[in-house]
Amino acid sequence: MKFLAKLLFKLFYRVEVRGLENYHAARQSERPILLIANHVSLLDGPLIDLFIPGRTTFMIDSRQIVGLRKWLLKLADYVAVDMLNAMATKHLIKALKAGKQCMIFPEGRITTTGSLMKVYDGTAMVAEKTGAIVVPIHIEGAQFSKFSYLDGTRAAWVRQRWFPKIVLTVLPPKEIAAPADLNGHQKHRYLQNKLFLLMRDNAFYARYQPRSLFAQLVHAADFYDGKGICLNDINQAQMSRKKLIIASKVLGHALEKEIAGQKRVGVLLPNVSGLVATFFALQAYGHTPAMLNFTAGAGPMCSACRTAEVETVVTSRKFVDAMALHAVVDELAKVVRIIFLEDVREQIGGLSKVLGVLRSDSSVPGFYAEPDDEAVVLFTSGSEGAPKGVVLSHANILANIEQVSAMLQMLPHETVFNALPTFHSFGLTAGLLWPLLKGARCFLYPSPLHYQVIPEMAYQVNARYMFGTDTFFTGYARKAHPMDFYNIAAFVAGAERLRPETRQLYADKFGKPIYEGYGVTETSPVLAVNIPQSHKSGTVGQFIPGVEYRLEPVPGIAEGGRLWVKGPNVMKGYLFNDNPGVLVPPKDGWHDTGDIVKVDEEGFVTILGRAKRFAKIAGEMVSLTAVENYINKHSPEGHHAVVSVPDPKRGEQLVLVTDDETLSKQTIKEAARKAGVAEIMIPKTVILVEQVPILGTGKTNYPEVQKIAERHFNGN
């Protein structure tokens, strides 16, 4: 009977099993084996019973033995228990100690959200008490079957199919045990967190398949709905994945006549569908897009082109006219060749379009690019110095997409509203490529600064996810109607610290949480993020799967350390303007973030400040970020930036630049007194400005703030 069932599963579901060597390694340990897996459909138990070696005993909630499940269980060994009974696991413990191979779904139920549900600590307690070795299994594909619970009647909905391809991935065996000094609630909490992280990480390791970005787009069109709309913009220029692939082949072929032999090509375009077609057109023909920051000005853009050895920049006359960038483009034209998309489109005739349709997706050179080849060049914002080129590989970006997917589940029909510019890594990876390459939809908006329009647009397109900075989210909240964000599942904030006042504002006005995350351009960019299943206010969440970290002590700073990270999402390397075109990789794969952080016992990360954003006053190290924090609490409506200038007596002194006219040296002293901070954390000078400078990415422009402070003391 089992042989026939296995044959039918292989025939209809094309079941593939990966990593069986990990199971056999566990068998070699001669310890009891406890299988665990994510629970996505009614097929999960039979799949494990049929395709994982050995005779498996399942622990099943007695209330779930009904209907089809009751019939399927006749083919398996199982222990029926009352999952609400604290003693439910004793039967499984007995079976494991008797040498049986046992299996538990740690979520205790089939997912109704498409993502990992609540993970119970009972599984970890069983493993610890029996000394069993845990063999994790990840089930992928069954969530799209007719036997999943994602039919819209319980919670989430996906387009279900009778026979989707199913992949079982067996991950390396793990031991789960708590430190000996923990007991009671602390022990349960520790084991629950450890098991949750294991289940979460399994999703990344099982799904991550390095390939080129163009090949991943083709895969997404085949695996998800290739003909459904996946891209829309303010001009209502809608595209499906199939149409995007064809447009990329046609436009790429036309551009190739102009840029053949060039490694990197500049892209100077806003968030519109044409940008995406241009990005993938370059990918299709093996060129690396160098994303230029059009808010930076002519000087930085020319410098960026020289640093990356860019010979040609692709832009649009309509965009140049709309943004009044004529002078900037004229300056750029002195160092690079400018190609306007309008001119390229005029050269594309009907025959070219037909050939683009007929040409195989796998016939373009970019399809076979190596995963470790460079995929994009971004430029650091220059918030603390001269911009550098950051080279990210195809593998870097795809790894980060899967790392994010393991943290935040996005269903194929859901929409990400992206107003963050794609010259910023947050806007490119999370805002654009994540939804496009994972089967969802992306709505592109050209500027994050349209505070009144963006909430209305999010309402109109039924946005499910939005990314932004604290500055942007504060602006949206001031203008938005309480219903504008009714469909939002998650706001995700990054790039700068999320103020508690902003988080509270969204809870009060919209009844929605903001999940704070953290990343840097050099890590593609996400490094950590809070998620519904695991979050802690005041932190940026736990590190994403696959990231190693270390903290190096910083003289004068007692708490935390300087964060170094390593992982598949860490860049290929830098391009410096004093040595154009030469890639400088991170030593031994470790990247110095330059951030001072602390990590608690559960792995939650708290950002204490930039290493460069500390002042040394009378021999003491003072965090400029910490000073801003208590001032923000006193004046949540204002925008405040604290910098330091030389002081002949104390080494340095603090200067506050603010747009809040109610602040003065006296009110700052009062705020410091209420916050209970030391006297050395009180700015000696307050400078009132009409607007505190910000970058196009939403971060405070500290070099410009520094200049304001220096001009004040120089009398200019």
Side-chain angles (χ1 to χ4, degrees):
M1 185 68 174
K2 280 193 174 183
F3 174 79
L4 178 60
K6 186 173 182 179
L7 187 65
L8 291 173
F9 267 83
K10 293 195 77 168
L11 176 65
F12 290 109
Y13 291 104
R14 306 175 304 286
V15 177
E16 179 184 353
V17 182
R18 300 171 183 165
L20 269 180
E21 67 277 6
N22 293 317
Y23 171 83
H24 295 303
R27 295 292 298 178
Q28 295 297 318
S29 70
E30 298 185 353
R31 292 165 58 184
I33 289 181
L34 178 61
L35 307 177
I36 65 170
N38 58 319
H39 207 359
V40 296
S41 77
L42 290 167
L43 300 175
D44 300 345
L47 283 166
I48 289 171
D49 196 36
L50 294 172
F51 290 93
I52 301 301
R55 190 168 184 84
T56 304
T57 299
F58 293 81
M59 187 171 86
I60 304 293
D61 187 345
S62 56
R63 293 166 300 167
Q64 301 290 325
I65 306 176
V66 293
L68 178 63
R69 190 189 291 250
K70 185 176 182 179
W71 181 83
L72 291 172
L73 284 172
K74 291 181 179 180
L75 304 176
D77 292 338
Y78 67 92
V79 175
V81 299
D82 179 2
M83 296 296 279
L84 298 179
N85 189 325
M87 302 299 292
T89 58
K90 69 177 183 180
H91 301 289
L92 204 66
I93 291 172
K94 183 178 179 180
L96 281 166
K97 287 184 175 180
K100 291 185 177 181
Q101 175 175 296
C102 297
M103 198 280 159
I104 304 179
F105 293 106
E107 296 162 275
R109 61 179 293 190
I110 295 173
T111 181
T112 57
T113 65
S115 62
L116 196 62
M117 302 283 280
K118 180 170 68 173
V119 173
Y120 292 92
D121 62 358
T123 304
M125 296 294 292
V126 167
E128 187 185 55
K129 287 183 178 180
T130 61
I133 191 163
V134 175
V135 178
I137 300 167
H138 183 80
I139 303 170
E140 187 68 24
Q143 69 268 32
F144 299 114
S145 75
K146 294 285 187 178
F147 297 99
S148 80
Y149 283 0
L150 304 181
D151 57 0
T153 62
R154 295 170 176 86
W157 174 88
V158 297
R159 186 173 64 89
Q160 294 177 314
R161 306 189 288 275
W162 278 111
F163 302 115
K165 178 178 173 58
I166 296 175
V167 178
L168 302 183
T169 304
V170 183
L171 285 304
K174 302 287 184 181
E175 291 187 39
I176 297 181
D181 59 338
L182 294 183
N183 51 51
H185 176 73
Q186 284 185 321
K187 183 175 182 178
H188 281 263
R189 176 70 181 169
Y190 175 89
L191 290 172
Q192 184 179 39
N193 181 59
K194 194 170 182 68
L195 182 61
F196 168 76
L197 293 177
L198 176 61
M199 296 285 291
R200 183 204 70 176
D201 293 1
N202 290 343
F204 164 67
Y205 291 116
R207 293 170 178 163
Y208 177 43
Q209 299 289 316
R211 50 168 68 97
S212 73
L213 289 182
F214 189 78
Q216 183 64 31
L217 177 64
V218 173
H219 169 76
D222 291 337
F223 188 79
Y224 302 104
D225 182 9
K227 295 181 180 179
I229 298 300
C230 71
L231 189 64
N232 199 358
D233 66 14
I234 193 67
N235 301 314
Q236 294 299 304
Q238 299 181 340
M239 300 181 80
S240 66
R241 286 175 184 79
K242 292 288 188 184
K243 185 177 179 180
L244 176 58
I245 291 169
I246 293 170
S248 300
K249 290 186 292 184
V250 172
L251 179 58
H253 184 263
L255 284 172
E256 185 67 9
K257 299 173 185 177
E258 308 292 336
I259 60 174
Q262 297 181 29
K263 184 176 182 180
R264 304 183 185 106
V265 178
V267 176
L268 185 64
L269 292 168
N271 280 14
V272 292
S273 295
L275 161 76
V276 187
T278 302
F279 181 88
F280 279 105
L282 295 173
Q283 296 290 346
Y285 280 82
H287 302 282
T288 303
M291 313 300 285
L292 298 177
N293 180 350
F294 50 79
T295 69
M301 277 195 273
C302 289
S303 174
C305 289
R306 285 190 289 267
T307 297
E309 294 188 324
V310 168
E311 300 175 34
T312 302
V313 170
V314 179
T315 188
S316 159
R317 284 195 180 88
K318 183 178 179 180
F319 168 60
V320 172
D321 291 342
M323 294 291 292
L325 292 174
H326 304 89
V328 171
V329 171
D330 288 344
E331 286 298 311
L332 269 177
K334 295 177 182 178
V335 295
V336 296
R337 182 187 177 198
I338 305 295
I339 293 180
F340 293 101
L341 285 175
E342 291 87 349
D343 297 338
V344 178
R345 290 195 186 102
E346 287 182 2
Q347 300 170 14
I348 299 174
L351 180 60
S352 297
K353 294 177 182 178
V354 171
L355 292 175
V357 173
L358 296 177
R359 186 171 188 181
S360 167
D361 297 341
S362 61
S363 66
V364 293
F367 185 90
Y368 295 102
E370 291 295 324
D372 287 332
D373 288 348
E374 61 181 61
V376 69
V377 178
L378 300 172
F379 298 92
T380 58
S381 62
S383 59
E384 292 177 352
K388 302 181 288 286
V390 176
V391 179
L392 301 176
S393 69
H394 299 272
N396 290 154
I397 294 172
L398 292 181
N400 206 228
I401 287 171
E402 292 299 354
Q403 288 166 322
V404 170
S405 294
M407 304 286 281
L408 286 167
Q409 178 66 36
M410 178 176 51
L411 297 176
H413 64 282
E414 294 178 331
T415 297
V416 172
F417 188 98
N418 185 28
L420 293 177
T422 50
F423 57 70
H424 186 272
S425 56
F426 198 9
L428 178 66
T429 300
L432 174 64
L433 296 179
W434 181 43
L436 283 189
L437 301 181
K438 294 299 290 184
R441 303 170 183 169
C442 175
F443 184 90
L444 290 170
Y445 191 81
S447 171
L449 298 173
H450 297 170
Y451 295 147
Q452 188 156 343
V453 178
I454 285 174
E456 174 65 21
M457 292 303 303
Y459 175 75
Q460 293 294 338
V461 303
N462 298 312
R464 195 70 173 155
Y465 291 91
M466 277 186 70
F467 301 100
T469 65
D470 180 87
T471 301
F472 295 153
F473 279 132
T474 300
Y476 303 149
R478 289 173 180 168
K479 301 293 184 179
H481 185 277
M483 272 294 289
D484 283 341
F485 300 133
Y486 82 99
N487 197 47
I488 293 289
F491 295 102
V492 182
E496 63 177 348
R497 176 180 176 270
L498 178 67
R499 296 180 301 163
E501 297 80 13
T502 307
R503 184 186 291 110
Q504 189 61 48
L505 176 60
Y506 271 71
D508 292 344
K509 186 171 183 177
F510 308 111
K512 300 284 184 178
I514 301 180
Y515 296 105
E516 187 174 5
Y518 163 67
V520 293
T521 303
E522 293 86 348
T523 60
S524 308
V526 183
L527 275 174
V529 65
N530 281 292
I531 56 176
Q533 302 97 319
S534 183
H535 61 91
K536 188 176 289 187
S537 294
T539 76
V540 293
Q542 295 167 308
F543 285 111
I544 57 177
V547 168
E548 300 175 55
Y549 77 93
R550 71 173 192 259
L551 301 182
E552 292 193 351
V554 178
I557 300 176
E559 187 178 29
R562 188 171 182 133
L563 176 65
W564 291 70
V565 293
K566 184 179 184 179
N569 55 318
V570 172
M571 65 175 177
K572 282 180 69 69
Y574 281 126
L575 300 173
F576 293 100
N577 57 11
D578 60 352
N579 198 6
V582 177
L583 186 71
V584 181
K587 186 177 180 181
D588 298 324
W590 285 94
H591 171 65
D592 175 13
T593 66
D595 290 315
I596 308 300
V597 313
K598 64 178 181 180
V599 183
D600 70 15
E601 65 281 354
E602 292 182 312
F604 286 92
V605 184
T606 301
I607 308 298
L608 302 176
R610 292 285 295 169
K612 295 179 181 178
R613 298 215 69 238
F614 279 78
K616 195 168 188 178
I617 302 174
E620 297 288 333
M621 298 296 287
V622 176
S623 167
L624 303 184
T625 302
V627 177
E628 290 174 349
N629 288 347
Y630 81 78
I631 295 174
N632 280 328
K633 189 173 183 180
H634 177 77
S635 171
E637 297 297 319
H639 186 181
H640 319 291
V642 176
V643 294
S644 63
V645 296
D647 184 285
K649 294 182 178 180
R650 309 188 76 188
E652 291 180 280
Q653 66 164 291
L654 304 183
V655 178
L656 168 65
V657 178
T658 179
D659 60 5
D660 185 350
E661 60 185 16
T662 67
L663 292 182
S664 64
K665 289 173 65 175
Q666 188 57 42
T667 56
I668 293 299
K669 285 182 180 179
E670 181 62 21
R673 186 189 65 78
K674 290 181 179 178
V677 301
E679 185 271 338
I680 60 172
M681 294 181 67
I682 301 174
K684 301 302 180 186
T685 303
V686 178
I687 302 174
L688 179 65
V689 295
E690 185 174 338
Q691 183 179 21
V692 176
I694 62 171
L695 296 160
T697 56
K699 296 180 182 179
T700 300
N701 190 339
Y702 283 107
E704 287 302 315
V705 173
Q706 188 71 42
K707 290 177 183 177
I708 291 172
E710 290 171 355
R711 285 197 297 267
H712 176 85
F713 283 91
N714 292 334
N716 296 329

